[in-house]
Amino acid sequence: MPGRLRAQHRVMPEMTLPSPYGPLTLREEDGRITALVWGAGGRDETPLLAAAVRQLGAYFAGSLRAFDLPVALRPGLPGEVMLAMMAIPFGETRTYGDLARALGAPPQAVGQACGANPVPIIVPCHRVLGARGLGGFSAPGGVETKVALLRHEGAAALLL
């Protein structure tokens, strides 16, 4: 096509793994995990995606408590919230208000950033609760999936 520019579409590598919550698909770009989504996807095996699949498998098996994976952080407050969520230890929870106070941000903005987390489980938004309840969870199964993840981590006693 002389004289015409072709739009280049760059496909991000993605790899699917089975989990207790159904198939999960990981995506990477520029050496960082950019997304974890529920559902089957690609079968691209890169070193990073293979490591992420191994770590998630170990997490679900109960032998991994902290992920050691590079994650693409969103700019501004959402990225700060992602870092704060990643600092919450396995089996513990914080409230949206706790994170808001630590970050000097409104709780509603923290809640929105948690709800928009593109890398759930690895960036453990399930460990963030509302002041008077569980709060939401955007993955399939919603709050039931959040409770199941907290039970898996032994944090279910905190829900009573």
Side-chain angles (χ1 to χ4, degrees), residues 16-121:
T16 300
L17 70 143
S19 85
Y21 312 102
L24 301 175
T25 297
L26 292 152
R27 293 188 185 117
E28 93 165 77
E29 184 174 10
D30 297 328
R32 300 199 176 283
I33 301 295
T34 59
L36 184 152
V37 296
W38 267 253
R43 299 175 190 259
D44 305 316
E45 185 165 341
T46 68
L48 175 56
L49 291 177
V53 166
R54 279 191 303 276
Q55 287 189 33
L56 280 161
Y59 169 82
F60 293 129
S63 60
L64 182 85
R65 294 176 158 242
F67 294 98
D68 181 22
L69 298 165
V71 173
L73 299 174
R74 296 209 158 161
L77 181 64
E80 292 176 33
V81 172
M82 290 174 76
L83 286 171
M85 288 187 288
M86 290 177 4
I88 303 170
F90 181 95
E92 295 185 24
T93 61
R94 302 290 185 271
T95 66
Y96 298 108
D98 293 336
L99 295 185
R101 280 187 293 283
L103 297 171
Q108 190 173 30
V110 169
Q112 289 170 346
C114 288
N117 174 20
V119 193
I121 303 175

Side-chain angles (χ1 to χ4, degrees), residues 93-97 125-135 146 150 158-159:
T93 61
R94 302 290 185 271
T95 66
Y96 298 108
C125 53
H126 60 278
R127 296 179 189 158
V128 184
L129 308 176
R132 294 184 199 32
L134 290 169
K146 183 175 192 169
L150 291 170
L158 301 170
L159 305 175

